Amino acid sequence: MRGPRSPADAIPGLAGSTLADFWRWAYGDLRENTVRPAFAEFIVGTLLGLESSSRPVWNAWDLDWRGARIEVKSAAYVQAWPASRRGRSPIQFDIARKIPWHAETAETGTEPVRSADCYVFCLYPEQDEARADPIDVPAWRFWVVPTHRIEQVFGGQAK
């Protein structure tokens, strides 16, 4: 089966297990720095009315909205690992030019570029580890920056 699945879908060969069980196991901690970016994309996509579409994982940008290509970047001070091991994470966003791969055409570009028309920088600002819960969408902060402005200000800079 291709396309979106239901959380209630049973996993054949794993008696009593559902996709919700897998999703909870793999993606349950939104503080993980591998999960939070996907959650930020979900927030932005939902706010733009794109919640019915699936996440385009391999495209050169994250979201398509009204003809605009959007790159979503996220950061947070608190990660899933204990703060005592590394302290608060510095806030930085990856804006590096990259060799694009276009999912629809399966073509790879030849030069590093910023493929999106704009970037949405998403910061989950809570710094208290005991209170940090990225599911609290009103706590997030968002900045939308046109890519041409990033090019003007940062040129080839990566962060």
Side-chain angles (χ1 to χ4, degrees), residues 30-144:
L30 299 177
R31 298 170 307 149
E32 286 283 349
N33 63 350
T34 57
V35 176
R36 187 192 62 252
F39 187 64
E41 290 173 27
F42 174 77
I43 293 170
V44 173
T46 300
L47 292 172
L48 293 175
L50 303 173
E51 68 276 358
S52 63
S53 61
S54 294
R55 179 176 179 238
V57 180
W58 295 107
N59 215 356
W61 57 88
D62 298 317
L63 302 169
D64 288 293
W65 183 70
R66 297 184 179 176
R69 299 170 302 196
I70 301 170
E71 183 71 18
V72 178
K73 298 295 183 182
S74 77
Y77 294 102
V78 174
Q79 308 295 327
W81 55 79
S84 60
R85 289 177 41 205
R86 291 196 48 189
R88 296 289 169 246
S89 293
I91 300 305
Q92 56 188 7
F93 298 99
D94 179 3
I95 57 168
R97 295 174 179 151
K98 296 184 171 78
I99 301 286
W101 186 79
H102 302 284
E104 280 188 15
T105 62
E107 293 177 1
T108 302
T110 57
E111 298 291 323
V113 297
R114 293 186 176 108
S115 297
D117 297 311
C118 70
Y119 282 64
V120 178
F121 297 105
C122 310
L123 172 65
Y124 180 69
E126 181 59 59
Q127 295 189 44
D128 181 344
E129 191 169 347
R131 294 176 22 161
D133 188 0
I135 203 166
D136 180 12
V137 174
W140 285 75
R141 301 294 172 255
F142 303 90
W143 296 270
V144 180

